[in-house]
Amino acid sequence: MALLLHRIGRFAFRRAWLVIAAWAVALAALLGAGIGLGGQLQESYAIPGTESQDAIDQLAAVFPQTAGASVKAVVEAPDGSSVEDEPYRTAITSMETELEGVDGVASVLGPFDEYAGDQVSSDSRTAYIQVQFDTPTTGVSDASIEAVTATGEIARDAGLKVAFGGEVFQDTEFGLTITELLGVLFAAVVLFITFGSLLAAGMPLITALIGVAAAFGGISIVAAIAPVSSTAPMLAVMIGLAVGIDYALFILSRHRTQLARGQDPEESAAEAVATAGGAVVFAGLTVIIALLGLLVVGIPFLSVMGVAAAFAVFIAVVGAVTLLPALLGVFGRRLVPKPTSRAHRRANADDDTGRHTMGRRWVDLVLKAPVVFVVLVVGLLGAAAIPAASLDLNLPSGGADTSAASDANANDLIANGFGPGYNGPLIVTVDITQTTDIFDDLDAIGARLGELDDVAYVGDGVPNPTADTAIIQVVPSSAPNTPETKALVEKIRELAPGIEADYGTPIAVTGYTAVAIDISNRLTNALVPFALIVVGLSIVLLLIVFRSVFVPFKAALGFLLSAFGALGVTVAIFQWGWFSDFLNVEPGPILSFLPILLMAVLFGLAMDYEVFLVSGMREEFVKTREPRTSIVHGFQHASRVVTAAALIMFFVFFAFVPEGSGAIKGIAFALAIGVAFDAFLVRMTFVPAAMALAGKAAWWLPAWLAKRLPDVDIEGEGLRAHLAQEEWAASRPAALNADDTVFGLPERTVGPLSVELPNGGVLVVRGDAVERQVVTSTFAGRLAPVSGRLAVLGSPLPSDATAVLRRVALADASADAAGGLTVGELIGARLDATGSWFRFAPKRSDVVEWVRRVADATGARGSITPETPVASLGAVERVLVATAAALAERPRAVVVDLGDEPEVVATAWAPLARLVPAGTALLAALGPDAAPPVPDSALAERGIRTLDVTLTPAAVVAPLAGLATTAAPAPLPEEALR
């Protein structure tokens, strides 16, 4: 991982304008496609598989006139007047007539119609007209909505107050207000204080804003083909902006520190991307896993929100490791801190100097009494979590038009005139296929429903035209989002078995409140599997990153403290109403999907801080094995950037609270408080205290687990070793360099061996079959060396084995290697493996050319053709055919085993000299009794080295003669060859 990121960072630095241009094209394509497709945001709270959703789907099939979106046109007469007085009654009737003519309206039921329900208030001041569209909310056009609200002028001219309510008026517009921009401004101030440079401070903002724009373009494309809630892009922007700034901040901070220490800008950028960028990749992956964990909940709109936010995080990670190093390449040395700046002094400060930073002073204080701080943090966050015990969940209430078309809020007029329950009526569906007395049975069912507590009104049963389904409207006495109404829904469902037994009519309850209850139940049931999947996978990731059992479980415990603390504070403000006026919050139930969304997002962000803070501790512990020193070192060097990152996230999230949409307010507040709790109480206080209490046990990992976990090298130790080897290889350009290299397996080795082979030279590897195969396979990049330094064609092994694999070809000349293939088929297979992707088969002329070269090398043109079976050839000819097939891959070095027969080896040297191009190195393996090429052969001018792999523990490399001999070691186990 570190090596890959190092190459990406170096490429982006060197090809800065190319990378920037690629980002510009991608951004333009995403935004252009999103705008061009014209996708619209829409609220959809469908939850397949629940009773309420099944009932809605059934109504859409058998009672389509009830399945469309609905609107209430509410009118209120002046004080002391009645809606039945003139001219009010006439105006209402005229308004009803106009509504019937609006395009898309399926039915209109006025307060004075024959089949009107309880549509006039008891004091006769308030009435409403029920308007039913023929399509769901997503299909209602803006023109139809404007035509409906335009009819309000008729009633207004008569002196009535008019308001419109219904789900079609829910605000689904996406837009940022000045407060969100203030959040970005605060982030800029924090960045400037952190870096002390306007240029450096602007880079994270640029990469984050570009990433957010790209993510929004992608979401807009999806919105054109699938329902996307208005909350999804706001959540994606909020999270994408926060993590985008933070991820760039971590990499840029590492880069400027290295620049201040005198490192070359290109090397610094590549190393910063490889080390800090590695932490960014794993932190981002943790956030993405947490967000994608929302898919297990099984609620489509919540899944879309999770995927949208995960996409924004993915873009932020890609931007941090590609676009940011490109910007670093553009500005080069202009980012070097001035020698007199605070940034330069901090970068070159010694941990043991008397002048300590605030971070150093804080960690010293924590480590004086770690038990006290652990208890203090747990106590504070435990107290903050107490209000979470009274958590009341619900969905946002139906929208009400508050534009110029309304004189008041329709929900308020309905609540004042009729009662709060009229804003959330329940629909009870009745299957009447098995009853013969439809209306009497419906009346009896309605009577039973009316006997329940908290019922304000029960409408008459209305069957559909095919007389197989009927609906009964039940109006609660309480508001839709109260516990009493939720209890009423459950009581109606409890009546279902008795009603079916008595009348043979199954019933189901649906409506907005029933949907909200089903969503809450689904979320409750999904919390355990969600926690197991998300937290479990993330713990595994941290286990891989830190190679410690204590660290990931301590991180998860800290997250639970911060998450429940944030949830408790959110309940106190958004549900209980503490400081609600100050934050422009209307107290009420908590958004039903807020807790699980908070868990998903906050867990990922918490792991960000864990990775960036603890990776520095582990880096120092790997070097010193001193736990306390490691805590101090890692904290001192990471605390400033983690503090800046947390402040940025807090400001960005909190900026969405005062003027954000209703759904996003609570989410943004909970995330802002959660980030503050997690960063400053958990990560900056609880973590160093807990690590100090654990001591060396904090880094304990069972040996059996250590063997099975991949080593991701997030600290960059492997990268630094690779760079050192790469520098060593570059200082001695050759086809092959081995310096005390040990081959094989740790328990059974060959070597150490040393050799230097010039480019295009010939290396003769002599020894028994197993030993020489292990050595040549290692030279070819197929096996990793046990120790020592080894470089092939300038690429160090094992860290750059991929490059060696591409440039070194293996020729297998064994009798059964080709099976039943012909010479042409064998060569064609190797040509096909490395040919152009658009060619379905190698060119016949290329195959014929290589066969001709083999024939020319043997001096027997015409005796070998493409149709000649390989099995029919002699040993030398098979060697040449296998070598030609390997050379067809156009390698810079070829490895061939000539076998143990001295006669075959002696005969093969001359044709090999003619077949292998002068610029291609030849690594020939042969038995201990076979002879190398003679000094005056055609291969001698290339430079011949002979390596005897039977010599242990010391090996001798001779130009041609003078080989030392020792007893051969026991053969290596077969595992060494795999």
Side-chain angles (χ1 to χ4, degrees):
M1 173 65 77
L3 182 57
L4 174 63
L5 290 174
H6 186 273
R7 289 171 175 167
I8 291 174
R10 176 173 285 176
F11 174 84
F13 189 96
R14 290 178 175 177
R15 304 287 187 270
W17 290 111
L18 176 63
V19 174
I20 292 172
W23 267 92
V25 170
L27 180 62
L30 287 171
L31 289 176
I35 296 172
L37 292 174
Q40 296 293 320
L41 302 176
Q42 48 191 268
E43 303 302 339
S44 174
Y45 294 115
I47 42 172
T50 60
E51 178 181 324
S52 57
Q53 188 62 47
D54 290 344
I56 290 174
D57 296 339
Q58 181 188 6
L59 288 178
V62 302
F63 219 148
Q65 56 268 44
T66 65
S70 63
V71 168
K72 282 188 176 75
V74 189
V75 294
E76 184 181 77
D79 288 340
S81 301
S82 168
V83 292
E84 298 186 14
D85 297 340
E86 293 296 345
Y88 308 131
R89 183 182 180 108
T90 300
I92 293 171
T93 304
S94 300
M95 185 178 174
E96 181 182 344
T97 303
E98 288 293 322
L99 287 169
E100 290 173 345
V102 172
D103 184 34
V105 171
S107 64
V108 177
L109 186 64
F112 310 121
D113 291 350
E114 179 181 357
Y115 299 104
D118 191 15
Q119 294 180 225
V120 178
S121 63
S122 57
D123 62 2
S124 299
R125 277 195 64 200
T126 310
Y128 66 87
I129 303 171
Q130 187 71 38
V131 181
Q132 198 77 28
F133 286 95
D134 55 12
T135 61
T137 303
T138 55
V140 179
S141 66
D142 293 339
S144 295
I145 296 174
E146 291 175 2
V148 166
T149 56
T151 62
E153 293 299 323
I154 299 173
R156 196 174 287 112
D157 290 342
L160 292 167
K161 184 181 290 185
V162 182
F164 296 89
E167 58 266 32
V168 297
F169 294 110
Q170 286 186 335
D171 183 15
T172 59
E173 293 296 323
F174 172 82
L176 298 176
T177 66
I178 187 63
T179 56
E180 284 90 29
L181 297 180
L182 284 176
V184 178
L185 180 61
F186 284 136
V189 172
V190 173
L191 288 170
F192 176 71
I193 294 173
T194 302
F195 290 121
S197 163
L198 283 175
L199 178 60
M203 286 188 178
L205 290 175
I206 292 173
T207 58
L209 291 173
I210 291 175
V212 164
F216 180 72
I219 295 171
S220 299
I221 294 173
V222 176
I225 57 179
V228 176
S229 166
S230 62
T231 309
M234 289 293 287
L235 182 67
V237 166
M238 184 171 63
I239 294 175
L241 190 61
V243 301
I245 294 174
D246 277 5
Y247 291 166
L249 164 65
F250 288 119
I251 295 175
L252 182 57
S253 176
R254 183 69 171 252
H255 176 63
R256 278 174 53 86
T257 298
Q258 292 169 170
L259 289 179
R261 294 173 179 172
Q263 196 165 348
D264 175 73
E266 181 180 323
E267 287 302 319
S268 175
E271 186 173 333
V273 172
T275 52
V280 163
V281 169
F282 276 94
L285 184 59
T286 307
V287 180
I288 290 171
I289 288 175
L291 289 167
L292 293 182
L294 293 171
L295 293 170
V296 306
V297 178
I299 298 178
F301 75 88
L302 198 56
S303 298
V304 171
M305 291 170 62
V307 171
F311 178 65
V313 175
F314 172 76
I315 295 294
V317 172
V318 175
V321 299
T322 58
L323 180 59
L324 178 63
L327 294 176
L328 300 182
V330 170
F331 292 102
R333 291 193 172 275
R334 293 175 60 185
L335 290 168
V336 178
K338 295 179 180 179
T340 57
S341 67
R342 292 172 57 193
H344 189 277
R345 291 197 300 272
R346 282 196 303 268
N348 291 278
D350 189 341
D351 287 356
D352 298 323
T353 57
R355 298 180 59 185
H356 291 161
T357 63
M358 184 178 295
R360 174 62 182 271
R361 290 194 293 270
W362 175 251
V363 73
D364 285 343
L365 176 63
V366 170
L367 296 186
K368 286 181 180 179
V371 175
V372 173
F373 283 95
V374 167
V375 173
L376 186 62
V377 170
V378 172
L380 285 174
L381 293 179
I386 291 175
S390 61
L391 183 66
D392 181 22
L393 300 177
N394 215 319
L395 284 175
S397 58
D401 184 18
T402 56
S403 65
S406 286
D407 302 315
N409 188 292
N411 291 347
D412 292 341
L413 292 182
I414 289 288
N416 294 335
F418 296 88
Y422 280 77
N423 282 317
L426 304 173
I427 302 297
V428 176
T429 65
V430 186
D431 183 347
I432 55 176
T433 56
Q434 302 302 314
T435 181
T436 57
D437 195 356
I438 294 176
F439 289 102
D440 286 345
D441 287 349
L442 289 176
D443 290 342
I445 294 171
R448 285 202 185 184
L449 295 173
E451 294 172 356
L452 296 174
D453 294 337
D454 202 50
V455 173
Y457 170 77
V458 177
D460 294 332
V462 180
N464 66 343
T466 57
D468 54 25
T469 304
I471 59 172
I472 301 175
Q473 186 182 62
V474 179
V475 178
S477 300
S478 304
N481 55 8
T482 60
E484 292 80 7
T485 301
K486 297 177 183 178
L488 175 60
V489 171
E490 296 303 327
K491 290 176 182 177
I492 294 175
R493 288 175 172 170
E494 290 172 2
L495 283 180
I499 291 175
E500 183 176 3
D502 293 342
Y503 305 103
T505 54
I507 69 169
V509 61
T510 185
Y512 195 85
T513 302
V515 169
I517 292 173
D518 288 340
I519 286 180
S520 297
N521 292 337
R522 176 71 66 83
L523 289 168
T524 300
N525 295 334
L527 276 175
V528 172
F530 173 79
L532 290 176
I533 292 174
V534 174
V535 178
L537 286 176
S538 299
I539 284 177
V540 170
L541 271 179
L542 292 177
L543 194 66
I544 294 172
V545 171
F546 294 116
R547 305 186 70 79
S548 159
V549 173
F550 177 80
V551 171
F553 283 96
K554 175 262 306 168
L557 175 62
F559 153 72
L560 292 175
L561 290 171
S562 55
F564 280 102
L567 190 58
V569 175
T570 303
V571 168
I573 293 176
F574 282 77
Q575 186 176 314
W576 292 357
W578 294 4
F579 308 107
S580 58
D581 292 337
F582 176 73
L583 294 174
N584 191 25
V585 171
E586 183 177 347
I590 300 298
L591 194 65
S592 61
F593 51 85
L594 185 149
I596 199 166
L597 196 62
L598 172 67
M599 284 185 64
V601 178
L602 186 59
F603 189 87
L605 299 181
M607 296 308 103
D608 281 1
Y609 302 129
E610 184 76 14
V611 168
F612 294 125
L613 191 64
V614 181
S615 60
M617 299 180 186
R618 172 167 170 75
E619 183 176 354
E620 184 67 13
F621 182 79
V622 169
K623 297 176 183 176
T624 66
R625 314 305 294 182
E626 291 291 335
R628 187 181 182 90
T629 304
S630 303
I631 295 170
V632 172
H633 175 88
F635 191 94
Q636 175 172 333
H637 288 276
S639 60
R640 182 178 181 85
V641 69
V642 170
T643 300
L647 288 174
I648 289 170
M649 280 203 178
F650 176 83
F651 286 132
V652 170
F653 288 149
F654 198 82
F656 284 81
V657 176
E659 300 298 332
S661 65
I664 208 70
K665 274 179 182 284
I667 298 173
F669 179 84
L671 288 175
I673 297 301
V675 164
F677 282 170
D678 196 86
F680 300 113
L681 291 180
V682 174
R683 308 303 153 188
M684 307 282 280
T685 306
F686 177 79
V687 165
M691 297 283 286
L693 290 176
K696 288 188 176 182
W699 304 108
W700 174 77
L701 185 68
W704 63 267
L705 184 58
K707 293 179 180 179
R708 288 164 173 79
L709 288 179
D711 189 358
V712 297
D713 187 30
I714 198 169
E715 298 85 17
E717 289 298 321
L719 172 65
R720 283 184 277 274
H722 165 79
L723 294 177
Q725 254 195 312
E726 195 175 57
E727 184 178 356
W728 167 76
S731 66
R732 303 170 65 183
L736 188 149
N737 267 316
D739 184 11
D740 289 336
T741 308
V742 177
F743 302 81
L745 296 174
E747 60 271 17
R748 185 63 63 85
T749 61
V750 175
L753 305 174
S754 297
V755 65
E756 181 173 339
L757 181 68
N759 288 316
V762 179
L763 177 66
V764 178
V765 181
R766 295 179 59 179
D768 292 332
V770 174
E771 282 88 343
R772 70 178 187 252
Q773 189 174 355
V774 166
V775 172
T776 55
S777 295
T778 304
F779 288 153
R782 275 66 173 178
L783 292 176
V786 176
S787 62
R789 293 190 294 188
L790 177 63
V792 177
L793 299 170
S795 298
L797 288 172
S799 58
D800 208 3
T802 303
V804 176
L805 284 170
R806 290 196 304 265
R807 291 181 282 182
V808 179
L810 283 174
D812 189 351
S814 59
D816 57 349
L821 297 179
T822 65
V823 172
E825 290 170 342
L826 180 63
I827 295 175
R830 300 293 282 265
L831 284 169
D832 186 47
T834 56
S836 302
W837 62 269
F838 51 84
R839 291 190 182 277
F840 294 102
K843 294 170 63 176
R844 173 71 179 178
S845 59
D846 291 340
V847 174
V848 171
E849 173 61 21
W850 277 107
V851 173
R852 183 193 63 78
R853 294 185 188 181
V854 173
D856 287 348
T858 61
R861 181 177 295 184
S863 61
I864 301 177
T865 67
E867 289 73 28
T868 302
V870 177
S872 67
L873 298 175
V876 174
E877 286 77 10
R878 283 201 308 273
V879 167
L880 296 177
V881 169
T883 305
L887 290 171
E889 297 181 6
R890 298 182 298 277
R892 290 179 54 192
V894 62
V895 178
V896 57
D897 195 315
L898 301 180
D900 295 302
E901 297 297 329
E903 298 80 6
V904 173
V905 174
T907 309
W909 289 124
L912 278 175
R914 293 190 288 270
L915 182 62
V916 179
T920 302
L922 172 61
L923 281 67
L926 43 91
D929 298 327
V934 296
D936 58 350
S937 68
L939 293 174
E941 61 186 27
R942 302 188 184 189
I944 301 175
R945 300 290 184 271
T946 303
L947 184 65
D948 195 327
V949 299
T950 65
L951 301 181
T952 59
V956 177
V957 180
L960 184 61
L963 295 175
T965 60
T966 67
L972 283 173
E974 189 176 345
E975 299 88 68
L977 303 179
R978 288 199 283 262

